[in-house]
Amino acid sequence: MSGATAAGIAASVEAAVRTGGLDPGAVLPPVRTLAATLGVSPATVAAAYRVLRGRGLIETAGRAGTRVRARPPLARRTGHALGVPEGVVDLASGAPDADLLPGFARHLIKLSRNLPPTNYGAGGPLPQLLHLAGERFAADGVPDGRLTVTGGALDGIERALVAHLRPGDRVAVEDPGWANLLDLVAVLGLTPVPVPVDDEGPTEDGLSAALSSGVAALVVTGRAQNPTGAFVTRGRALALRRRLMRYRSILVLEDDHAAELAHERPHPLAGATDSWAYIRSLSKPYGPDLRVATVAGDETTVARIEGRMRFGTGWVSTVLQRLVIELWRDPETKGLVRRARDHYAERRQALRDALGGLPARGVSGFNVWVPVADETSMVAGLREDGFAVAPGAMYRLVSPPAIRITTATLDPRDAPRVAEAVLRRAAGTVRRQV
């Protein structure tokens, strides 16, 4: 780290992150310590840190000090980031099982025989796709609204946040919550306000506290919440809606990333406020490379989302949109998705059953969230046992330590072996602390 100005110091930190001199999670020196080392004023270093926080590169972690974010928004030239080594079972990635995804080949071949060319003036959401999406939204209780298509769930969330909010605005987010969303909030210069999550979704008291603090938006995952597997029940949804109706100006965004893979019927919060968007991704049921999400929302919010797209990508490829139409209309694909849904539920429940008395969470979705005393030692120990899991720090703001175990590719017959390793390592951590 070097520099005589705030801009120079910030640039040196960014370069170190980009080239591998500073790893994700690396702790930065305290302001006064770095100021003394560089021979500058503490105000200069503090200003550099503010710039880096505004870019989403660093975060303040309470007593742990200031550190590089676990996933800074910066492409790195080095390839030494720790992956899953050969021989270790990947229970960390969060991705769907490739063997359970429907294939695209025959649908693409069919489309290629009669694929009309699309020019700049003809791009945009296809009416056929919007019609099918509207039927699906209506069946799940999403209120009538304007429909559009974005390049995935996070793309839709980002465009809605940018269209409604400004840097510094406060956003209520689930805690624990989706790591990508927490990173996005940081990159946009927004202030996250944690809302505790139990098995039924965001807690009533947590939402009330966030609303009272002056948040401008709320982002919720109604089912298969990542990382805890929470599911917003009908009773919880009614309670949350009652609170939201007192704050009509709040933007409410709902992320339905599981879509057809969830057994649970959603209970949308959409319509409880004047500004809302219900965003349904196709990545989990049909494949991460299918960068498409359908969006329902109020007229103003969706118009703003489409307006932002006009000055960027313009529209989601109509080739991808036509592929979605083919997948949704194909009975065989529907059967494959239902089969995948059942397999995912079986795998998740197998691990929860094997963990026995451990307070593991995961009533829906791909993941099981296991509270632990020490994330670092647990993750390292399980890797030694042949299992890669994700540290909870990536998903937490103020909630207690935990690990996330992705069960999407877990053979149910291996669940007892994974559980035995977790229980053994958990017991060892407790003994060391005592």
Side-chain angles (χ1 to χ4, degrees):
M1 300 172 64
S2 61
T5 64
I9 295 168
S12 75
V13 173
E14 182 170 345
V17 174
R18 186 177 64 250
T19 59
L22 284 172
D23 284 328
V27 177
L28 301 184
V31 168
R32 292 189 179 278
T33 301
L34 183 57
T37 301
L38 299 179
V40 299
S41 72
T44 299
V45 176
Y49 281 7
R50 281 197 299 273
V51 170
L52 292 165
R53 275 193 293 271
R55 295 177 185 168
L57 288 169
I58 66 173
E59 62 186 350
T60 301
R63 293 181 180 179
T66 300
R67 65 188 181 191
V68 178
R69 289 184 63 84
R71 296 192 302 173
L74 195 67
R76 306 182 77 199
R77 287 209 306 261
T78 60
H80 72 269
L82 192 61
V84 178
E86 188 176 352
V88 174
V89 179
D90 183 5
L91 303 177
S93 70
D97 186 345
D99 291 336
L100 296 180
L101 297 174
F104 295 165
R106 64 185 177 89
H107 299 290
L108 290 171
I109 292 171
K110 178 181 177 181
L111 286 174
S112 69
R113 297 181 183 130
N114 185 27
L115 193 62
T118 299
N119 212 324
Y120 294 109
L126 295 178
Q128 287 177 298
L129 180 59
L130 296 184
H131 176 74
L132 292 174
E135 290 181 337
R136 288 164 176 255
F137 282 136
D140 285 329
V142 179
D144 289 338
R146 181 165 171 168
L147 304 177
T148 193
V149 182
T150 62
L154 200 63
D155 181 51
I157 292 172
E158 177 180 7
R159 294 181 190 280
L161 290 174
V162 170
H164 275 275
L165 277 58
R166 295 295 177 265
D169 284 348
R170 299 165 68 84
V171 181
V173 295
E174 298 162 329
D175 184 24
W178 185 25
N180 282 353
L181 174 66
L182 301 182
D183 291 339
L184 174 64
V185 167
V187 169
L188 295 178
L190 304 172
T191 302
V193 177
V195 178
V197 176
D198 61 21
D199 282 346
E200 295 185 62
T203 65
E204 299 173 49
D205 290 344
L207 177 60
S208 293
L211 293 172
S212 299
S213 75
V215 297
L218 164 69
V219 185
V220 174
T221 310
R223 48 187 179 173
Q225 197 260 5
N226 184 2
T228 69
F231 159 60
V232 178
T233 61
R234 182 175 183 275
R236 179 63 57 83
L238 290 173
L240 297 180
R241 289 179 65 89
R242 283 195 294 268
R243 284 163 170 75
L244 287 168
M245 290 176 71
R246 303 172 194 163
Y247 297 83
R248 299 291 303 186
S249 63
I250 299 293
L251 170 66
V252 176
L253 303 179
E254 294 179 85
D255 172 19
D256 188 24
H257 70 99
E260 296 98 322
L261 290 182
H263 280 96
E264 304 81 10
R265 178 182 173 84
H267 301 289
L269 305 180
T273 62
D274 295 334
S275 301
W276 59 276
Y278 193 96
I279 303 167
R280 177 170 288 169
S281 170
L282 283 87
S283 295
K284 290 293 193 302
Y286 302 99
D289 198 34
L290 190 60
R291 312 307 300 158
V292 178
T294 54
V295 181
D298 69 275
E299 180 73 23
T300 298
T301 296
V302 174
R304 290 180 179 180
I305 290 173
E306 292 183 336
R308 298 293 299 187
M309 291 185 70
R310 188 175 304 145
F311 298 110
T313 58
W315 68 89
V316 175
S317 166
T318 58
V319 176
L320 291 180
Q321 293 187 58
R322 293 178 191 281
L323 175 58
V324 172
I325 294 170
E326 288 293 324
L327 292 169
W328 276 357
R329 287 177 169 173
D330 179 41
E332 182 179 340
T333 298
K334 292 178 182 178
L336 291 173
V337 172
R338 285 194 296 267
R339 171 174 166 266
R341 178 191 63 189
D342 294 340
H343 278 300
Y344 289 134
E346 178 189 5
R347 294 169 183 182
R348 184 189 68 250
Q349 192 58 47
L351 181 59
R352 291 196 67 194
D353 291 343
L355 288 169
L358 210 62
R361 298 168 58 185
V363 296
S364 67
F366 281 12
N367 304 300
V368 174
W369 183 251
V370 184
V372 297
D374 185 335
E375 289 181 12
T376 303
S377 62
M378 177 64 80
V379 170
L382 289 175
R383 187 174 287 263
E384 292 177 3
D385 293 333
F387 305 108
V389 301
M394 298 171 60
Y395 311 91
R396 299 187 295 108
L397 293 174
V398 297
S399 55
I403 58 172
R404 190 195 74 170
I405 305 176
T406 298
T407 57
T409 59
L410 177 65
D411 188 326
R413 295 170 295 185
D414 291 334
R417 190 162 59 94
V418 177
E420 187 278 328
V422 171
L423 292 166
R424 173 166 43 80
R425 293 290 178 179
T429 301
V430 172
R431 284 197 298 272
R432 284 195 299 274
Q433 289 190 336
V434 173

